[in-house]
Amino acid sequence: MRAVQESLLDAGSAPPPVERPRIERQAVTRTFDGVTCHEVAARTAVERVPEAAELPYRWSVSPYRGCEGACAYCAARRDHRRIGLDAGAGFASTIVVKTGLADRLRRELASPRWEAEPVVLGAAGDCYQPVEEVYRLMPPILRALADAGNPFTVMTKSPLVLRDLDLLREAAKVAPVRAAVSVGFVDDRVRRSVEPGAATPQRRLEVCAALNEAGIPCGVLMAPILPLITDSLDHLRSTVRRAAEAGAVSVTPIVLRLPSGTREWYLSWLEREHPGLLPRYQALYGRGSTVEADYWERIAAQVRGLAEAYGIGRGDRRWRRRRSPARQLTLA
């Protein structure tokens, strides 16, 4: 038998072909500026947010899966792995686009079983990432939510959300509309390393300020706080202070999670950038996806105390910066 195997190898026999993921076989595929987009007809619009995500939302609508922000820590990488796509580099270069999502959303919102619960937009990939400039899925989604009078929150890191400011204002006339800008830290050196495709923290905070000025309440998701990298009191204080300067109506701390698909990619980044921290991460996370409870409680308490000190969420006591508005809002 061994001789037969060797003769087959000598004859140049090839291994059996690897079957392509179903989504690649069924989608219409296009490429824009090096990003591969798999267009698939939306089968559902409103999806349940997993409790493990630790987001303050129950239901989500996500026009895209994958994200050009390329954040090494993004928990949505597990979705790419689940559907057979590369959860590493491919997460930022292969985007699933849900065509017809707005029409599907209208049907689901009109169902007698739907109780008009609040939804969050963009949990599986930033809904205002660059491909949105090509597909423009968000305007009809916002109109569908407004026509149904359904409350919603837009979660993003992108200044592109300001393109739809008029639509957000119109929707806010008939239902509660909020925004949440993700700013886990304000150190741009860390941002360039761990979230290279995202807007700078300064630019995101300017978006927060612009939304609040326009009458759309916008808070800051401190997501994620990176253990041993951005969790010092100085880092936390700087981020909360800058959120207060931007007029954030709330600050929600979320500590790094490492579900399967994210864990491998993030730890490979950590090994390159901070190899000395690997043993300490192993102690913090073990084989799980979340940090120990006492660590999380300590961070949450620190952020709550800082938010209170800077008056976030209490308009009559809102802390004011000492720098001039012109200097504060200079684009980064």
Side-chain angles (χ1 to χ4, degrees), residues 258 262-272 278 281:
L258 294 176
T262 301
R263 184 184 185 95
E264 297 83 354
W265 190 253
Y266 179 82
L267 292 182
S268 68
W269 171 83
L270 191 72
E271 186 174 20
R272 292 193 308 271
L278 278 172
Y281 265 74

Side-chain angles (χ1 to χ4, degrees), residues 18-331:
V18 177
E19 187 176 15
R20 295 164 60 206
R22 177 185 297 180
I23 196 164
E24 290 187 357
R25 302 195 307 270
Q26 296 181 344
V28 175
T29 300
R30 308 179 197 277
T31 302
F32 304 97
D33 296 328
V35 175
T36 298
C37 295
H38 295 314
E39 301 173 8
V40 297
R43 299 174 63 183
T44 59
V46 181
E47 300 174 304
R48 186 179 293 274
V49 177
E51 290 185 10
E54 298 180 10
L55 291 172
Y57 313 105
R58 187 179 176 192
W59 301 100
S60 70
V61 176
S62 294
Y64 306 104
R65 293 194 184 279
C67 186
E68 295 171 82
C71 301
Y73 52 70
C74 186
R77 289 177 182 273
R78 68 184 182 278
D79 294 330
H80 254 42
R81 169 173 284 188
R82 180 174 55 83
I83 60 178
L85 297 176
D86 175 21
F91 181 73
S93 61
T94 305
I95 309 298
V96 177
V97 181
K98 294 185 179 181
T99 60
L101 185 61
D103 291 338
R104 172 66 64 176
L105 178 60
R106 285 183 180 275
R107 291 194 291 272
E108 293 182 11
L109 295 179
S111 169
R113 292 176 295 178
W114 177 247
E115 298 180 351
E117 293 189 58
V119 299
V120 62
L121 306 178
D126 198 320
C127 51
Y128 282 104
Q129 60 182 291
V131 293
E132 166 62 13
E133 296 190 70
V134 176
Y135 287 98
R136 298 184 66 87
L137 298 185
M138 284 299 293
I141 289 172
L142 297 178
R143 292 189 188 99
L145 288 162
D147 290 347
N150 203 96
F152 65 89
T153 296
V154 176
M155 183 169 64
T156 186
K157 287 185 173 79
S158 173
L160 185 58
V161 65
L162 299 180
R163 179 200 67 188
D164 293 341
L165 192 52
D166 288 343
L167 290 172
L168 293 172
R169 285 175 174 156
E170 287 299 311
K173 294 177 181 178
V174 297
V177 173
R178 301 177 69 87
V181 176
S182 177
V183 185
F185 44 84
V186 292
D187 187 331
D188 199 49
R189 292 172 299 177
V190 178
R191 192 275 310 171
R192 288 194 296 269
S193 177
V194 76
E195 43 185 37
T200 66
Q202 170 66 16
R203 187 67 183 101
R204 287 178 243 166
L205 290 167
E206 290 167 4
V207 170
C208 178
L211 288 167
N212 278 307
E213 288 292 330
I216 306 299
C218 183
V220 165
L221 289 176
M222 285 182 65
I225 296 168
L226 306 177
L228 312 173
I229 299 173
T230 64
D231 63 348
S232 70
L233 185 57
D234 283 345
H235 269 104
L236 299 179
R237 181 183 293 111
S238 295
T239 304
V240 174
R241 175 177 60 81
R242 296 274 293 279
E245 290 177 346
V249 299
S250 62
V251 172
T252 305
I254 299 176
V255 176
L256 174 72
R257 294 180 57 254
L258 294 176
S260 177
T262 301
R263 184 184 185 95
E264 297 83 354
W265 190 253
Y266 179 82
L267 292 182
S268 68
W269 171 83
L270 191 72
E271 186 174 20
R272 292 193 308 271
E273 301 293 330
H274 305 280
L277 295 182
L278 278 172
R280 300 179 68 185
Y281 265 74
Q282 187 62 39
L284 269 176
Y285 286 88
R287 296 184 178 180
S289 63
T290 59
V291 293
E292 298 173 347
D294 58 348
Y295 172 93
W296 187 94
E297 290 167 0
R298 174 173 61 83
I299 294 296
Q302 288 177 321
V303 172
R304 283 195 302 269
L306 290 166
E308 173 64 22
Y310 288 116
I312 292 178
R314 300 176 62 182
D316 58 335
R317 292 185 57 196
R318 181 169 293 164
W319 182 81
R320 297 293 182 182
R321 61 183 176 273
R322 296 183 179 179
R323 291 175 289 174
S324 70
R327 179 179 178 185
Q328 171 63 20
L329 295 177
T330 300
L331 295 183

